[in-house]
Amino acid sequence: YVRLENGMDCPVVGEIDFVFKSSLASKILEDKVVCIKGLINLDAGNGYDTYLWSTGSTVSTSGLVGKGNYYVDLVLNGCTFRQYVNVEEEDIISIDVIDVESNRVTINASGGSKPYQYSIDGKHWQNSNTFENVNIGVGNIYVKSNLNCTPIHREFYNINLVNTITPNGDSYNDVLDFSGLRLKNDVKMKIVDRYGKTFFDGEEKT
């Protein structure tokens, strides 16, 4: 309200209406996480008079961008609101432990965007980190993040544990082949006879 008066007339009170014009932040534009070296098209949404991105784009979308810091000037009702947005690359997934027990393989991983998906052939994926009835020998584990980025890969060895060797030339248990143990760290192996006498005691550091 406003009160008007002079030295001659009675005061007069009047009402003034104010119309505020402003721009608003986009409700859909938010920080994003992408795959390593991935690209994304940021979108501020419709409803503004004009747009001006730090990328040079003048439409509601930024154009394809990678990791970095960006902003967009959103103009509405003749007013400008500058909104900032960040694009980050997800952390690299790490396969920390591959637990092999009989024919069961369990994977523990960290990093990246959860939940993970797991595979032992790189084609068929599952949500569970445990695989049953895994074949004997050297195998492969693949883990990918919730962003469906390029999977991380690691070999493992499901040991065909033969606890007897009879090198008598009958082609049965003449040779022990544990070459897949090259995938293990700090491998130790000992061979003893039926009476407990040690015939082989070896250790390999990798």
Coordinates of all heavy atoms in Angstrom, one line a residue, residues 97-141:
V97 N 37.9 -60.6 -4.7 CA 38.0 -62.0 -4.3 C 37.2 -62.9 -5.2 O 36.1 -62.6 -5.5 CB 37.6 -62.2 -2.8 CG1 37.7 -63.7 -2.4 CG2 38.4 -61.3 -1.9
I98 N 37.9 -64.0 -5.7 CA 37.1 -65.1 -6.4 C 37.3 -66.3 -5.5 O 38.4 -66.9 -5.4 CB 37.7 -65.3 -7.8 CG1 37.6 -64.1 -8.6 CG2 36.9 -66.5 -8.4 CD1 38.2 -64.2 -10.0
D99 N 36.2 -66.7 -4.8 CA 36.2 -67.8 -3.9 C 35.8 -69.1 -4.6 O 34.6 -69.2 -5.0 CB 35.3 -67.5 -2.7 CG 35.4 -68.6 -1.6 OD1 36.3 -69.4 -1.7 OD2 34.5 -68.6 -0.7
V100 N 36.7 -70.1 -4.8 CA 36.4 -71.3 -5.5 C 36.3 -72.4 -4.4 O 37.3 -72.7 -3.7 CB 37.4 -71.6 -6.5 CG1 37.1 -72.9 -7.3 CG2 37.6 -70.5 -7.5
E101 N 35.2 -73.1 -4.3 CA 35.0 -74.2 -3.4 C 34.2 -75.3 -4.1 O 33.1 -75.1 -4.5 CB 34.2 -73.7 -2.2 CG 34.0 -74.8 -1.1 CD 33.2 -74.3 0.1 OE1 32.9 -73.1 0.1 OE2 32.9 -75.1 0.9
S102 N 34.9 -76.4 -4.3 CA 34.4 -77.5 -5.2 C 34.1 -76.9 -6.5 O 34.9 -76.4 -7.2 CB 33.2 -78.2 -4.5 OG 33.6 -78.8 -3.3
N103 N 32.8 -77.0 -6.9 CA 32.4 -76.5 -8.2 C 31.6 -75.2 -8.1 O 30.8 -74.8 -9.0 CB 31.6 -77.5 -9.0 CG 32.5 -78.7 -9.4 OD1 33.7 -78.5 -9.7 ND2 31.9 -79.9 -9.5
R104 N 31.7 -74.6 -7.0 CA 31.0 -73.3 -6.7 C 32.0 -72.1 -6.7 O 33.0 -72.2 -6.1 CB 30.3 -73.3 -5.4 CG 29.6 -72.0 -5.0 CD 29.0 -72.1 -3.6 NE 27.9 -73.0 -3.6 CZ 27.2 -73.3 -2.5 NH1 27.6 -72.8 -1.3 NH2 26.2 -74.1 -2.5
V105 N 31.6 -71.1 -7.5 CA 32.5 -69.9 -7.5 C 31.7 -68.7 -7.1 O 30.6 -68.4 -7.6 CB 33.0 -69.7 -9.0 CG1 33.8 -68.4 -9.1 CG2 33.8 -70.8 -9.4
T106 N 32.2 -67.9 -6.1 CA 31.6 -66.7 -5.6 C 32.5 -65.5 -5.8 O 33.7 -65.6 -5.5 CB 31.3 -66.9 -4.1 OG1 30.5 -68.0 -3.9 CG2 30.6 -65.7 -3.5
I107 N 32.0 -64.4 -6.3 CA 32.8 -63.3 -6.6 C 32.4 -62.1 -5.7 O 31.2 -61.8 -5.4 CB 32.5 -62.8 -8.1 CG1 32.7 -63.9 -9.0 CG2 33.4 -61.6 -8.4 CD1 31.5 -64.6 -9.5
N108 N 33.4 -61.5 -5.1 CA 33.3 -60.2 -4.4 C 33.9 -59.1 -5.1 O 35.1 -59.2 -5.5 CB 33.9 -60.4 -3.0 CG 33.1 -61.3 -2.1 OD1 31.9 -61.4 -2.2 ND2 33.8 -62.1 -1.3
A109 N 33.1 -58.0 -5.4 CA 33.6 -56.9 -6.2 C 33.3 -55.6 -5.5 O 32.5 -55.6 -4.6 CB 33.0 -56.9 -7.6
S110 N 34.0 -54.5 -5.9 CA 33.8 -53.2 -5.3 C 34.0 -52.2 -6.4 O 34.6 -52.4 -7.5 CB 34.7 -53.0 -4.1 OG 36.1 -53.0 -4.5
G111 N 33.6 -50.9 -6.1 CA 33.7 -49.8 -7.1 C 32.5 -49.8 -8.0 O 31.6 -50.7 -8.0
G112 N 32.5 -48.8 -8.9 CA 31.5 -48.7 -9.9 C 30.1 -48.4 -9.4 O 30.0 -48.0 -8.2
S113 N 29.1 -48.6 -10.2 CA 27.7 -48.4 -9.8 C 27.0 -49.7 -9.5 O 26.8 -50.5 -10.4 CB 27.0 -47.5 -10.9 OG 27.7 -46.4 -11.2
K114 N 26.5 -49.8 -8.3 CA 25.7 -51.0 -8.0 C 24.3 -50.9 -8.4 O 23.8 -49.7 -8.5 CB 25.9 -51.3 -6.5 CG 27.3 -51.6 -6.1 CD 27.4 -51.9 -4.6 CE 28.9 -52.1 -4.2 NZ 29.0 -52.3 -2.7
P115 N 23.5 -52.0 -8.5 CA 24.0 -53.4 -8.4 C 24.7 -53.9 -9.6 O 24.6 -53.4 -10.7 CB 22.6 -54.1 -8.2 CG 21.7 -53.3 -9.0 CD 22.1 -51.9 -8.8
Y116 N 25.6 -54.9 -9.3 CA 26.4 -55.5 -10.4 C 25.7 -56.6 -11.1 O 24.7 -57.1 -10.6 CB 27.7 -56.1 -9.8 CG 28.6 -55.1 -9.0 CD1 29.1 -55.5 -7.8 CD2 28.9 -53.8 -9.5 CE1 29.9 -54.6 -7.0 CE2 29.7 -53.0 -8.8 CZ 30.2 -53.4 -7.5 OH 30.9 -52.5 -6.8
Q117 N 26.2 -57.0 -12.3 CA 25.8 -58.2 -12.9 C 27.1 -59.0 -13.2 O 28.2 -58.5 -13.4 CB 25.1 -57.9 -14.2 CG 23.6 -57.4 -14.0 CD 22.8 -57.4 -15.3 OE1 23.3 -56.9 -16.3 NE2 21.7 -58.1 -15.3
Y118 N 26.9 -60.4 -13.2 CA 28.0 -61.3 -13.2 C 27.8 -62.3 -14.4 O 26.7 -62.6 -14.7 CB 28.1 -62.0 -11.9 CG 28.2 -61.2 -10.7 CD1 27.0 -60.7 -10.1 CD2 29.4 -60.8 -10.1 CE1 27.1 -59.9 -8.9 CE2 29.5 -60.0 -9.0 CZ 28.3 -59.5 -8.4 OH 28.4 -58.7 -7.3
S119 N 29.0 -62.7 -14.9 CA 28.9 -63.7 -16.0 C 30.2 -64.5 -16.0 O 31.3 -64.0 -15.5 CB 28.8 -63.0 -17.4 OG 28.9 -63.9 -18.4
I120 N 30.1 -65.8 -16.5 CA 31.4 -66.6 -16.6 C 31.6 -66.9 -18.1 O 32.6 -67.6 -18.4 CB 31.3 -67.9 -15.8 CG1 30.0 -68.7 -16.3 CG2 31.2 -67.7 -14.3 CD1 30.0 -70.1 -15.6
D121 N 30.8 -66.3 -19.0 CA 31.1 -66.4 -20.4 C 31.1 -65.1 -21.2 O 31.4 -65.1 -22.4 CB 30.2 -67.4 -21.1 CG 28.7 -67.0 -21.0 OD1 28.4 -65.9 -20.5 OD2 27.8 -67.8 -21.3
G122 N 30.8 -64.0 -20.5 CA 30.7 -62.7 -21.1 C 29.5 -62.5 -21.9 O 29.3 -61.4 -22.6
K123 N 28.5 -63.5 -21.9 CA 27.3 -63.4 -22.8 C 26.1 -63.4 -21.9 O 25.1 -62.7 -22.1 CB 27.3 -64.5 -23.8 CG 28.5 -64.4 -24.8 CD 28.4 -65.6 -25.8 CE 29.6 -65.5 -26.8 NZ 29.5 -66.7 -27.7
H124 N 26.0 -64.4 -21.0 CA 24.9 -64.6 -20.2 C 25.1 -64.0 -18.8 O 26.1 -64.3 -18.1 CB 24.5 -66.1 -20.1 CG 24.3 -66.7 -21.4 ND1 25.3 -67.3 -22.1 CD2 23.2 -66.8 -22.1 CE1 24.8 -67.8 -23.3 NE2 23.5 -67.5 -23.3
W125 N 24.2 -63.1 -18.3 CA 24.5 -62.3 -17.1 C 23.4 -62.7 -16.0 O 22.3 -63.1 -16.4 CB 24.4 -60.9 -17.4 CG 25.5 -60.4 -18.3 CD1 25.5 -60.4 -19.7 CD2 26.8 -60.0 -18.0 NE1 26.7 -60.0 -20.2 CE2 27.5 -59.7 -19.2 CE3 27.5 -59.8 -16.8 CZ2 28.8 -59.3 -19.2 CZ3 28.8 -59.3 -16.8 CH2 29.4 -59.1 -18.0
Q126 N 23.8 -62.6 -14.8 CA 22.9 -62.8 -13.7 C 23.2 -61.8 -12.5 O 24.3 -61.2 -12.5 CB 23.1 -64.3 -13.2 CG 24.5 -64.5 -12.6 CD 24.6 -66.0 -12.1 OE1 24.2 -66.9 -12.8 NE2 25.2 -66.2 -10.9
N127 N 22.2 -61.7 -11.7 CA 22.4 -60.8 -10.5 C 23.1 -61.4 -9.4 O 23.8 -60.7 -8.6 CB 21.0 -60.3 -10.1 CG 20.2 -59.5 -11.1 OD1 20.8 -58.7 -11.9 ND2 18.9 -59.6 -11.2
S128 N 23.1 -62.7 -9.3 CA 23.8 -63.4 -8.2 C 25.3 -63.4 -8.4 O 25.7 -63.6 -9.6 CB 23.2 -64.8 -8.0 OG 24.0 -65.5 -7.1
N129 N 26.0 -63.3 -7.4 CA 27.5 -63.3 -7.5 C 28.1 -64.8 -7.3 O 29.3 -64.9 -7.2 CB 28.2 -62.4 -6.5 CG 27.9 -62.8 -5.1 OD1 27.0 -63.5 -4.7 ND2 28.9 -62.4 -4.2
T130 N 27.2 -65.8 -7.3 CA 27.6 -67.2 -7.1 C 27.2 -68.0 -8.3 O 26.1 -67.9 -8.8 CB 26.9 -67.7 -5.8 OG1 27.4 -67.0 -4.7 CG2 27.3 -69.2 -5.6
F131 N 28.1 -68.8 -8.8 CA 27.9 -69.7 -9.9 C 28.1 -71.2 -9.4 O 29.0 -71.5 -8.7 CB 28.8 -69.5 -11.0 CG 28.6 -68.2 -11.7 CD1 29.2 -67.0 -11.2 CD2 27.8 -68.1 -12.8 CE1 29.0 -65.8 -11.8 CE2 27.6 -66.8 -13.4 CZ 28.2 -65.7 -12.9
E132 N 27.1 -72.1 -9.7 CA 27.2 -73.5 -9.4 C 27.6 -74.3 -10.5 O 27.5 -73.9 -11.7 CB 25.8 -73.9 -8.9 CG 25.2 -73.1 -7.7 CD 25.9 -73.4 -6.4 OE1 26.7 -74.3 -6.3 OE2 25.5 -72.7 -5.4
N133 N 28.2 -75.5 -10.2 CA 28.5 -76.5 -11.3 C 29.5 -75.9 -12.3 O 29.3 -76.1 -13.5 CB 27.3 -77.0 -12.0 CG 26.3 -77.7 -11.0 OD1 26.7 -78.4 -10.1 ND2 25.0 -77.4 -11.1
V134 N 30.5 -75.2 -11.8 CA 31.5 -74.6 -12.7 C 32.5 -75.7 -13.2 O 32.9 -76.5 -12.4 CB 32.2 -73.5 -12.0 CG1 33.3 -72.9 -12.9 CG2 31.2 -72.4 -11.6
N135 N 32.8 -75.7 -14.4 CA 33.7 -76.7 -15.0 C 35.1 -76.6 -14.4 O 35.6 -75.5 -14.0 CB 33.9 -76.5 -16.5 CG 32.6 -76.8 -17.2 OD1 31.8 -77.6 -16.8 ND2 32.4 -76.1 -18.4
I136 N 35.8 -77.7 -14.3 CA 37.2 -77.8 -13.9 C 38.1 -77.1 -14.8 O 37.9 -77.1 -16.1 CB 37.6 -79.3 -13.7 CG1 36.8 -79.9 -12.6 CG2 39.1 -79.4 -13.4 CD1 37.0 -79.4 -11.2
G137 N 39.1 -76.4 -14.3 CA 40.1 -75.8 -15.2 C 40.1 -74.3 -15.1 O 39.5 -73.7 -14.2
V138 N 40.7 -73.6 -16.0 CA 40.8 -72.2 -16.0 C 39.5 -71.6 -16.6 O 39.0 -72.0 -17.6 CB 42.0 -71.7 -16.9 CG1 42.0 -70.2 -16.9 CG2 43.3 -72.2 -16.3
G139 N 39.0 -70.6 -15.9 CA 37.7 -70.0 -16.3 C 37.9 -68.5 -16.2 O 38.9 -67.9 -15.9
N140 N 36.8 -67.8 -16.6 CA 36.8 -66.3 -16.6 C 35.6 -65.8 -15.9 O 34.5 -66.4 -15.9 CB 36.7 -65.8 -18.1 CG 37.9 -66.2 -18.9 OD1 38.9 -65.6 -18.8 ND2 37.8 -67.3 -19.7
I141 N 35.8 -64.7 -15.2 CA 34.7 -64.0 -14.5 C 34.6 -62.6 -15.1 O 35.6 -61.9 -15.3 CB 35.0 -63.9 -13.0 CG1 34.8 -65.2 -12.3 CG2 34.2 -62.8 -12.3 CD1 33.4 -65.7 -12.3

